[in-house]
Amino acid sequence: MSWKRWLVTLLSFGLMLGISAWVVARHWPANGMPWLAWPVHLAALATVTAEIATRAFKIQASARACRIPLSFGTALRVCLAGDLAAAITPARSGAEPARFLVLAESGTGAAQRVLVLFLELFLEMWSLVLVCSVLAVLFAGRGASTGGLLALVGGYSTVVLGAGAAGWFLSRRNANGPPPAWARALGLAAPRWRAVQRTLRSLRGAVTSLRRAKVGLMLLAFGGSVLHVLFKVATLPILVFLGDPAFPRTMDTLAPLVLWPLALFYGGVVVPAPGGGGFIEGAFAATLSTAIPAGIFVAALLWWRFYTFYLYILIGGLAAGDAALRALRPASPSS
């Protein structure tokens, strides 16, 4: 994160706030924006707490399944450092370096770090496949884009599996020796290529460790991953259903409140601007303005964005801000 990238981040956040203000102005209710009752906020906070806790449990359980000693506190800092770094970097690219640094500072070995981070993505992928498949059956024909959601998950799965397959292939062929021609063409000179090779050797050792993983703990980690996804998408239904007691609670009204936020969470990864640059707010208005009562639409948007984005920045900054910022510092010329 050079000063230029910090400038891009500030501009992106400014654009995000500007688009939020524009959406709010266009949908401001005639009777003024209602204040959500405190039980609604308590339920939303409980959901956020449960989401973070189940995600940290997933990381800890998957690590211990592979005989990697990892405390819950470290797993929690891994999550929160990644959340903060993801929020302030293009395409959430800072998440993995921040998580990697927290693991390194906890004394976790290089090969173990690679394994823990890959397992986190791998379990996320399969939990998404399961959750989205179930949702597609439950909400079939109810107006929300279940087909588009499954296509999004398919693309996410392809990226994760493709990255793992490419890393494994390279670890078998290029873990030693001078940089090949394609690496030199990409600007990977000998010092940087050696760093890549260390990661490839770590990946090869990680895959070997994965073969001896404890199945029971891995299943528990998968369960934690599924719960984390469910808690992630529960926030908007909680805000709408509890915020407007008169709003009908049917499968038809629930479908868009679950499916569209899920698509925005994972589809937003492809947006290069830090924080989405207003894409999330604009897409929220485009897809959900007719699904949420006009009287609480603005409140639902603002508080949904707070409980799913801004609050994570605050918590991440308090719990692991130092590690996240150190992971994003510009590399020294000698590195």
Side-chain angles (χ1 to χ4, degrees), residues 3 33 42 52 66-67 69 76 84 117 148 176-177 199 201-202 204 207 211 229 243 280 307:
W3 69 267
M33 187 175 71
L42 284 181
I52 295 173
C66 296
R67 297 171 178 81
L76 193 61
L84 174 60
L117 295 180
N176 295 285
T199 302
R201 289 193 291 270
S202 299
R204 189 167 58 190
V207 172
R211 294 171 180 170
V229 174
I280 302 296
Y307 284 117

Side-chain angles (χ1 to χ4, degrees), residues 14-36:
L15 181 62
M16 182 169 57
L17 294 174
I19 292 179
S20 296
W22 176 75
V23 171
V24 167
R26 287 199 61 184
H27 295 86
W28 190 262
N31 297 325
M33 187 175 71
W35 293 99
L36 299 181

Side-chain angles (χ1 to χ4, degrees), residues 188-211:
L188 294 174
R192 292 186 179 274
W193 180 246
R194 284 195 293 271
V196 172
Q197 286 179 317
R198 287 194 295 270
T199 302
L200 292 176
R201 289 193 291 270
S202 299
L203 176 62
R204 189 167 58 190
V207 172
T208 302
S209 300
L210 183 58
R211 294 171 180 170

Side-chain angles (χ1 to χ4, degrees), residues 251-272:
M251 294 295 286
D252 289 324
T253 58
L254 179 62
L257 301 182
V258 170
L259 296 178
W260 283 119
L262 188 60
L264 291 178
F265 282 134
Y266 293 96
V269 175
V270 302
V271 180

Side-chain angles (χ1 to χ4, degrees), residues 107-296:
T108 308
Q112 296 173 330
R113 282 173 250 155
V114 173
L115 179 57
V116 168
L117 295 180
F118 180 74
L119 280 177
E120 199 270 340
L121 290 174
F122 188 75
L123 290 172
E124 184 89 354
M125 178 194 73
W126 285 113
S127 58
L128 272 176
V129 170
L130 175 60
V131 170
C132 291
S133 298
V134 172
L135 292 179
V137 173
L138 289 177
F139 297 131
R142 297 187 183 275
S145 180
T146 54
L149 182 63
L150 289 175
L152 173 67
V153 173
Y156 183 88
S157 303
T158 300
V159 170
V160 173
L161 290 178
W168 172 245
F169 177 78
L170 290 174
S171 72
R172 298 292 299 271
R173 294 173 57 91
N174 300 106
N176 295 285
W182 62 265
R184 292 193 297 270
L186 293 174
L188 294 174
R192 292 186 179 274
W193 180 246
R194 284 195 293 271
V196 172
Q197 286 179 317
R198 287 194 295 270
T199 302
L200 292 176
R201 289 193 291 270
S202 299
L203 176 62
R204 189 167 58 190
V207 172
T208 302
S209 300
L210 183 58
R211 294 171 180 170
R212 302 191 298 269
K214 297 178 181 178
V215 177
L217 280 174
M218 196 61 74
L219 289 175
L220 284 175
F222 178 69
S225 185
V226 171
L227 288 175
H228 129 71
V229 174
L230 293 176
F231 283 126
K232 195 77 173 175
V233 299
T235 304
L236 185 60
I238 285 173
L239 293 174
V240 174
F241 286 161
L242 297 184
D244 185 359
F247 187 62
R249 293 161 175 78
T250 66
M251 294 295 286
D252 289 324
T253 58
L254 179 62
L257 301 182
V258 170
L259 296 178
W260 283 119
L262 188 60
L264 291 178
F265 282 134
Y266 293 96
V269 175
V270 302
V271 180
F279 168 81
I280 302 296
E281 289 79 5
F284 186 98
T287 56
L288 289 165
S289 59
T290 58
I292 300 174
I296 65 166

